[in-house]
Amino acid sequence: MADAATAAVAAAFPHSVKLSLPFPSERHAQIVYDVLRVDREPNAKSRREMAVHGSSLDVEFKASELKFLRVAVGAFLDLLLLSTETLDQFGLAQ
């Protein structure tokens, strides 16, 4: 049954991209994850899955069309930049 569900998602969202974003520490990665996970995708034709693995934030985007993939990745990168600049500006105790 899980294979059928996976196949259905793959058919509905055939385009994907994976990013692995390194951070100075696991705490940095977790903070950025916590900030970004609350933001929804710009539209229902794309999906985002995130996970923290050590000091890396791994993100996978899936979309029904390439243009929706581009929009989702672009919006995420804008928020990621804001998050990392905020961490740099205010510092973070190790």
Side-chain angles (χ1 to χ4, degrees), residues 39-94:
D39 290 317
R40 301 188 81 157
E41 283 306 301
N43 61 58
K45 296 189 178 200
S46 64
R47 290 188 178 178
R48 176 182 69 208
E49 296 175 7
M50 297 191 307
V52 174
H53 295 106
S55 62
S56 292
L57 176 62
D58 296 335
V59 187
E60 182 175 12
F61 298 90
K62 297 177 183 178
S64 60
E65 297 178 36
L66 287 174
K67 66 182 175 182
F68 296 122
L69 185 62
R70 179 183 53 80
V71 169
V73 172
F76 176 82
L77 292 176
D78 286 342
L79 294 172
L80 176 68
L81 181 62
L82 179 62
S83 299
T84 55
E85 287 177 347
T86 302
L87 279 175
D88 290 343
Q89 180 70 30
F90 292 102
L92 179 63
Q94 294 293 327

Side-chain angles (χ1 to χ4, degrees), residues 5-63:
T6 302
V9 169
F13 298 98
H15 306 286
S16 66
V17 65
K18 292 181 183 180
L19 303 174
S20 183
L21 308 164
F23 285 90
S25 71
E26 186 173 352
R27 185 166 181 224
H28 283 87
Q30 188 65 48
I31 289 170
V32 172
Y33 169 81
D34 289 339
V35 168
L36 296 178
R37 71 185 172 118
V38 298
D39 290 317
R40 301 188 81 157
E41 283 306 301
N43 61 58
K45 296 189 178 200
S46 64
R47 290 188 178 178
R48 176 182 69 208
E49 296 175 7
M50 297 191 307
V52 174
H53 295 106
S55 62
S56 292
L57 176 62
D58 296 335
V59 187
E60 182 175 12
F61 298 90
K62 297 177 183 178

